[in-house]
Amino acid sequence: MSPCTYPSFPRLFHALYDFTARCSEELSVTRGDRLYALKEEGDYIFARRLSSPPSTGLVPINYVAKATPEMLSDQPWYFCEINRTQAQQLLLSPANAPGAFLIRPSESSLGDYSLSVRAQAKVCHYRISTAPGGSLYLQEGRLFPSLQSLLTYYKANWKLIQNPLLQPCVPQRPPAQDKWERPRSEFVLGKKLGEGYFGQVWEGLWRGSVPVAVKTIKSANMKMADLAKEIEALKTLRHERLIRLYAVCSDGEPVYIVTELMCKGSLQSYLGSPEGQALSLPLLLSFACQVAEGMGYLEERRVVHRDLAARNVLVGHDLTCKVADFGLARLLKDDVYSPSSGFKIPVKWTAPEAANYRVFTQKSDIWSFGILLYEIFTYGQCPYEGMSNQETLQRISRELPCPAACPAEVYTLMLRCWKDSPEERPTFAMLWEKLGTMHRHLHLALL
Ligand code: AMP
């Protein structure tokens, strides 16, 4: 797919969980079934099952995932968004028996994998490393071209790891979701992950099994009358580069906004971490590309983000990035999120026409994207370092200097994002295409 085409609706899916039809309109599927979506109907897809026996019907959208060209994510034993603790909890849950196994990205060694296997009442973890030529190995000297062939070997020769690999781990199904409004009691909050303009963010568990992020917002700060309408709009926005909204609890205090959990936190803090500081240029470009892709999707749907910045981009295990908090700014009461309240508005990321006259458009998002590029290529430095918001606004030119790690071509794009006249700024579709081309060229040059 060229970086400039947005399939408005992905067609090929695979089932993540078993689903039993509850009425004649629904379609029962088994984990791994391939589905061809004919149309999207609210929280369901109307799909044709490609595996036999072929049939059509409705399947909840949170029971399926888009099928990807790299088949890894289609493998029943591959769990891409799970860490060691969660793998342990899942394998020890009643749904799984001794011999259940899964492979997940390694937390401690970027690019490697871990094999987690349930023994009796405990879980054993084995590191799968990558040899210089790209082969994979679990034990020195035993090299395999793929995870599949490594698994086939250790299934037959399990005594080498002292644990039989009997069946892929059964995932926890999310509750079939008919309503987005959920009772508060379904969520248990754990560690606090951070704090933003909107409120606090907590790591949480939904119905004891699905890891989620829970944003808590004081209803005093929110236009409650608009909440239902806005949530309706937000839940129709589905893209791999956007944080997925799972549920809301708006009955009582504080309001919960529940989304998927991204284990490496915000791009801003990740760039500043020791792991982030060691990132190579192709990875920085890949972050820029992914954000442009997600914003391109919003642009196509005429959705204005209003608060695009590295702090609102989240990073997952495999260094995928997703744009978060789109649309939320509109829900905040004007006095919370306005230039007149001074410090709340992110002036340094905000286009002059938006900061001065509250004209927020897709073109003001483009300005913010230019600042986000600056954050990426300075490894998370604050723009206009040492200057107050007032000083930033009063600058004759808001252009920032070219960061040392930034290729000249990328800096040219940044400058185009900061054109005074909004119409002269590029589109996200164009930025995605240009950044994608640069990324591919750089990748090829390094091969
Ligand atoms: P926010 O209120 O969206 O600005 O979030 C504040 C902080 O909470 C972010 O900078 C992240 O570190 C963390 N955070 C927010 N959402 C998530 C999420 N879905 N997964 C993991 N961490 C998150």
Side-chain angles (χ1 to χ4, degrees):
M1 189 177 68
S2 98
C4 211
T5 52
Y6 300 103
S8 52
F9 177 46
R11 296 261 168 220
L12 272 182
F13 287 80
H14 64 268
L16 293 171
Y17 315 98
D18 293 350
F19 173 68
T20 311
R22 295 160 295 184
C23 59
S24 59
E25 281 83 46
E26 291 182 345
L27 174 69
S28 295
V29 292
T30 307
R31 176 167 157 77
D33 274 355
R34 301 201 137 244
L35 302 166
Y36 183 80
L38 300 163
K39 70 178 161 146
E40 199 171 335
E41 292 192 0
D43 301 332
Y44 293 81
I45 54 164
F46 183 72
R48 179 179 306 132
R49 189 175 51 215
L50 300 176
S51 358
S52 60
S55 186
T56 51
L58 294 167
V59 183
I61 193 116
N62 57 345
Y63 274 58
V64 297
K66 191 177 150 192
T68 52
E70 64 281 10
M71 298 306 284
L72 203 52
S73 55
D74 291 352
Q75 298 293 348
W77 39 260
Y78 188 68
F79 287 63
C80 64
E81 276 291 336
I82 198 169
N83 62 26
R84 184 186 168 100
T85 317
Q86 290 159 348
Q88 217 145 289
Q89 282 169 353
L90 195 53
L91 286 163
L92 292 175
S93 73
N96 284 295
F101 66 91
L102 63 86
I103 291 186
R104 57 187 169 82
S106 161
E107 267 177 288
S108 50
S109 173
L110 200 63
D112 287 343
Y113 300 94
S114 295
L115 167 68
S116 303
V117 189
R118 172 155 175 189
Q120 283 302 322
K122 66 170 189 174
V123 173
C124 301
H125 306 273
Y126 306 87
R127 164 75 52 78
I128 300 174
S129 307
T130 313
S135 300
L136 299 162
Y137 65 94
L138 193 147
Q139 292 164 311
E140 294 270 347
R142 286 201 171 88
L143 296 173
F144 299 91
S146 64
L147 288 173
Q148 179 73 71
S149 55
L150 180 145
L151 275 180
T152 307
Y153 177 83
Y154 283 102
K155 273 185 191 170
N157 300 284
W158 62 268
K159 288 198 174 136
L160 290 171
I161 53 170
Q162 290 167 11
N163 278 306
L165 305 176
L166 298 181
Q167 66 283 325
C169 172
V170 177
Q172 290 280 5
R173 299 181 234 199
Q177 206 178 332
D178 300 321
K179 291 202 181 89
W180 287 76
E181 180 68 46
R182 310 296 315 178
R184 204 167 285 272
S185 55
E186 288 185 359
F187 302 92
V188 175
L189 304 196
K191 188 172 80 180
K192 183 168 158 184
L193 293 172
E195 197 144 6
Y197 293 114
F198 307 107
Q200 297 167 338
V201 182
W202 301 79
E203 193 176 312
L205 262 193
W206 185 6
R207 292 197 175 170
S209 58
V210 184
V212 290
V214 179
K215 191 168 290 220
T216 59
I217 304 180
K218 285 201 197 91
S219 61
N221 288 340
M222 207 167 212
K223 297 174 191 162
M224 289 304 283
D226 293 347
L227 182 68
K229 202 170 70 202
E230 196 65 33
I231 294 295
E232 278 305 309
L234 289 183
K235 73 188 206 200
T236 63
L237 297 173
R238 281 202 195 97
H239 191 277
E240 279 159 294
R241 300 279 153 258
L242 299 186
I243 285 290
R244 188 73 199 275
L245 175 73
Y246 284 162
V248 285
C249 312
S250 58
D251 188 15
E253 281 283 343
V255 174
Y256 282 2
I257 295 189
V258 184
T259 64
E260 68 180 296
L261 181 69
M262 297 289 280
C263 64
K264 290 192 190 282
S266 81
L267 176 61
Q268 186 200 22
S269 58
Y270 180 65
L271 286 167
S273 70
E275 196 179 308
Q277 296 278 307
L279 288 174
S280 62
L281 187 54
L283 275 169
L284 297 182
L285 262 176
S286 130
F287 287 153
C289 250
Q290 294 183 57
V291 178
E293 185 184 357
M295 290 303 298
Y297 171 87
L298 291 183
E299 179 177 74
E300 246 200 351
R301 275 154 188 75
R302 312 248 178 284
V303 175
V304 180
H305 189 299
R306 293 185 176 215
D307 196 6
L308 180 61
R311 65 182 168 274
N312 284 331
V313 172
L314 297 165
V315 184
H317 270 302
D318 45 359
L319 298 191
T320 47
C321 283
K322 301 195 183 196
V323 177
D325 281 353
F326 35 91
L328 272 189
R330 261 174 315 193
L331 279 175
L332 291 186
K333 285 197 176 150
D334 292 346
D335 58 343
V336 178
Y337 193 83
S338 85
S340 53
S341 71
F343 67 96
K344 290 279 187 188
I345 193 168
V347 166
K348 293 182 177 183
W349 282 261
T350 306
E353 73 279 6
N356 294 322
Y357 309 110
R358 310 212 64 213
V359 182
F360 288 93
T361 60
Q362 285 162 346
K363 294 299 182 192
S364 54
D365 279 351
I366 293 277
W367 178 289
S368 312
F369 182 75
I371 306 283
L372 188 145
L373 285 178
Y374 178 85
E375 293 184 274
I376 293 178
F377 288 93
T378 53
Y379 291 88
Q381 245 177 49
C382 179
Y384 313 101
E385 185 99 71
M387 295 179 77
S388 69
N389 285 347
Q390 205 54 32
E391 284 164 342
T392 305
L393 274 180
Q394 281 165 355
R395 274 173 64 127
I396 295 175
S397 163
R398 294 262 314 264
E399 279 176 13
L400 287 156
C402 182
C406 182
E409 277 173 288
V410 178
Y411 186 58
T412 307
L413 290 183
M414 279 186 211
L415 294 179
R416 291 187 60 185
C417 294
W418 300 328
K419 290 273 182 200
D420 284 330
S421 158
E423 304 81 62
E424 286 180 48
R425 298 174 202 155
T427 60
F428 281 111
M430 182 270 211
L431 287 165
W432 183 34
E433 187 182 2
K434 290 238 179 296
L435 289 164
T437 309
M438 287 178 211
H439 186 233
R440 275 193 303 280
H441 286 168
L442 190 63
H443 204 70
L444 288 175
L446 292 176
L447 281 181

